[in-house]
Amino acid sequence: MFGLERSMKQKLAQFKQLAQAVRLVWQSAPGWTVVTIIVVIVQGLLPALSLYLTKMVVDTLAQLFAQPAGAREFGALLGLLPLVLAVFVVGRICSILSTVAKEAQSTAVTNHVQCILQDRAIQVDYQCYEDPTFHNTMLMAHGEAMTRPTRIVYNLTQSAGSALSLVAVTGVLLVSHAYLVPIVILAALPGTVARILNSRALHAWRIKHMQEERYSGYLNTLLTTASFAKEVRVFGHGRILQQQCRRIRDRLRKSQMGVTRKRVTRETAADALSYVLAGGGVAIFLVRMKTGTATITMGDLALLFQAFQKAKGALTGWLSSLTSLYEDALFIRHYYDFMALPQRIGSPPEPKPLPSPMRSGIRVEGITFRYPGTQNNVLSDVSLSISPGEHVALVGQNGSGKTTLAKLMCRLYDPDDGRITIDGTDIRDVAIEELRSSMGVLFQDYARYFMTAGENIRIGDNAIPAGDARIRESARLAGADTVIADLPQGYDTMLGRLFEGGVELSVGQWQRIALARSLVRDAEFVLLDEHTSALDPKAEHEVLHQLFDSVKSKTVMIISHRLSTVTLVDRIIMLAHGRVVEQGSHDELMRSGGQYAELFSMQAEPGPQGLRDES
Ligand code: ADP
């Protein structure tokens, strides 16, 4: 009972999704959709018209041949010719229009749907990108959403057109030879069943092999992307990765061939059955002719054969469009699954304003957090506070949870327990855009944009116009101005070697550009994760002094292991295994001789500086 109810609900949902897909096409290309509908209606009526004309032409010809040669009257035949020509011309125009409309519609839909998918990709929770099933869904959604909606409209219009033809042609058949109608219907059924089974098998195959397909795509990216090209050469693992990719592709190909073989077998069996049934129909007709049960003219004969053919074609076409719609409904589901991904991290319905300027500061209150899908807490009952204008450094060994805390402050995740407040307001009660625009953030794994140097900095704050003075100012603070001054077109130089005229920077130079991007917005709170790790000592010294000068009035949290950085801040907070273990100034902590002193005394020692560049 429940199973039946669930299956009904699923069918209803599929039906709704088809309707939504039609709306999507309508929104993308309303004009071309109207053209498609008109064309389909005309194309639906043409077969019955051409049938009737064929009968008239054949009957007229038969009458002509019955007249003595030399006294034949061609008037009636000539009178029919313009009609035959008109049907032919209209048919051709319709088929051209249908091709053009289909192409224009599909391009419009692809662009429209791509925008919608990009919108969703920007909005989904960041943690989705760490979930393999999300990537499966996204790939299926991208693959299907570009083409399916147009196909759905095409199949819907085709099914309407075929149904129209079917009604018209069956009408003709019913009047003349009604006994052929059930045979036509029976002959079309095996093909339909075969197509439904094939669609299901294909869909199940795609789902089952999605992970493998993505992995082979990933291997291909490793072999063809600039960021991996260096290691591929130095480690010489290109061939191994290529073989691995090849093996997966071969396995997929073989398995897909199995699906294709089954598909062809089903289709052939269905065709054979359908021809046997059609043959039966012809046999009945011939028997009726022989026994004289039916009296027919030559025109009737031509009409009958064509009607039988056309009715079978229209019914097959109609059922085939319906089974295609069934397949579309199976596949378009992934697009809606992607669109329906729950968004947990967002703005509340009635966001509270973020006080500006900050008065009492930022408080982390008893935060406990574990990454979704993992077993251990990364942060356990972490509490700390940062006063307005205070400069704090977060230190600790690798994996102690520093970057995780920074990510929680930006609301890339929400804590499982505890809260983070700004001036007493829980950051979950603030509009997320407002929260994020109040921060200047630099992550360890900052992005490198293959855009101009100016754009690389400007995209740190969407509100500022190109060429704004703040771009140069933040470049100066980050020590990126000297890098940019050496570029051939200064701020207009394209960075990276992916596009024409692009210039590649060193790691340290890229980091300065990324730091400038974090500083370009007029943020009250600056959060920097290993912001100088790639700079040489001289650059680091310059950048740090300029930076601390410029952010004097701002609240700053820096994650760093550098002695040069931690001695410049007001307070150091040490994390170990996801807990705050020590707090104080550098001197205080060194004096107390705890974990911090142990960590940093190694840096002061000559020899390998194991902790210098760790994070
Ligand atoms: P730190 O910045 O102090 O080096 P992190 O905060 O980056 O440490 O990482 C803390 C712990 O969380 C590590 O054990 C790491 O393996 C784990 N971790 C980090 N990022 C993720 C993630 N996206 N998913 C699951 N575990 C993660």
Side-chain angles (χ1 to χ4, degrees), residues 364-369 377-384 405 417-419 575 577-581:
V364 174
E365 300 174 10
I367 289 274
T368 296
F369 176 72
N377 287 344
V378 171
L379 296 174
S380 308
D381 196 21
V382 170
S383 293
L384 54 92
L405 183 58
D417 207 357
R419 60 179 201 152
L575 282 185
H577 306 295
R579 292 176 189 275
V580 175
V581 288

Side-chain angles (χ1 to χ4, degrees), residues 21 69 271 309 425 446 466 482 575:
D271 271 355
Q309 279 266 310
T425 304
Y446 58 84
T482 49
L575 282 185

Side-chain angles (χ1 to χ4, degrees), residues 488-513:
Q489 278 98 40
Y491 284 83
D492 295 327
T493 310
M494 181 66 99
L495 300 188
R497 300 291 298 272
L498 193 62
F499 300 107
E500 203 68 38
V503 174
E504 188 51 278
L505 302 182
S506 74
V507 178
Q509 289 170 331
W510 270 115
Q511 196 174 36
R512 293 191 215 186
I513 299 276

Side-chain angles (χ1 to χ4, degrees), residues 216-489:
S216 80
Y218 172 68
L219 290 173
N220 185 50
T221 309
L222 297 187
L223 295 169
T224 56
T225 313
S227 42
F228 297 99
K230 220 181 316 133
E231 290 210 3
V232 164
R233 276 146 191 80
V234 174
F235 293 123
H237 53 227
R239 289 266 170 263
I240 297 168
L241 297 179
Q242 190 188 27
Q243 279 164 11
Q244 220 179 326
C245 182
R246 182 80 186 264
R247 271 200 299 275
I248 297 176
R249 301 281 350 145
D250 279 349
R251 219 173 27 239
L252 285 173
R253 186 178 51 79
K254 277 187 197 137
S255 152
Q256 195 166 23
M257 278 310 289
V259 176
T260 308
R261 261 197 305 276
K262 279 190 188 151
R263 195 193 74 214
V264 173
T265 313
R266 277 193 203 107
E267 279 172 3
T268 314
D271 271 355
L273 195 58
S274 135
Y275 281 119
V276 169
L277 288 165
V282 174
I284 295 174
F285 169 74
L286 290 176
V287 169
R288 280 170 64 91
M289 243 182 93
K290 191 164 180 252
T291 53
T293 324
T295 46
I296 39 181
T297 64
M298 287 289 282
D300 279 343
L301 202 62
L303 178 136
L304 192 62
F305 273 111
Q306 275 207 24
F308 185 74
Q309 279 266 310
K310 283 198 180 326
K312 187 170 169 288
L315 183 62
T316 313
W318 184 57
L319 291 174
S320 143
S321 322
L322 291 185
T323 44
S324 297
L325 279 171
Y326 172 76
E327 183 183 304
D328 294 335
L330 283 181
F331 280 91
I332 196 76
R333 203 192 75 212
H334 301 284
Y335 167 72
Y336 291 104
D337 284 351
F338 180 67
M339 296 305 287
L341 279 172
Q343 193 178 350
R344 291 184 197 90
I345 297 189
S347 302
E350 286 177 24
K352 292 185 181 161
L354 205 57
S356 177
M358 205 190 289
R359 285 185 292 271
S360 58
I362 300 168
R363 290 176 67 86
V364 174
E365 300 174 10
I367 289 274
T368 296
F369 176 72
R370 85 171 51 160
Y371 282 97
T374 63
Q375 301 304 318
N376 300 320
N377 287 344
V378 171
L379 296 174
S380 308
D381 196 21
V382 170
S383 293
L384 54 92
S385 61
I386 310 170
S387 307
E390 193 182 16
H391 295 177
V392 168
L394 205 57
V395 301
Q397 289 191 352
N398 286 346
S400 54
K402 304 179 297 295
T403 302
T404 304
L405 183 58
K407 290 196 271 190
L408 287 170
M409 287 175 138
C410 306
R411 283 203 72 205
L412 290 178
Y413 308 88
D414 278 339
D416 300 318
D417 207 357
R419 60 179 201 152
I420 299 172
T421 62
I422 299 178
D423 281 356
T425 304
D426 191 323
I427 57 172
R428 285 172 292 202
D429 295 335
V430 176
I432 199 152
E433 298 78 17
E434 193 184 349
L435 173 76
R436 289 181 180 157
S437 64
S438 71
M439 301 176 157
V441 184
L442 174 66
F443 286 112
Q444 276 176 77
D445 50 351
Y446 58 84
R448 298 170 187 197
Y449 298 94
F450 297 143
M451 301 174 180
T452 66
E455 280 168 323
N456 255 280
I457 299 173
R458 187 168 79 97
I459 53 171
D461 185 351
N462 301 320
I464 60 170
D468 191 277
R470 260 191 289 164
I471 297 174
R472 284 170 191 271
E473 178 55 15
S474 57
R476 190 185 65 77
L477 295 174
D481 53 344
T482 49
V483 176
I484 297 170
D486 286 342
L487 294 174
Q489 278 98 40

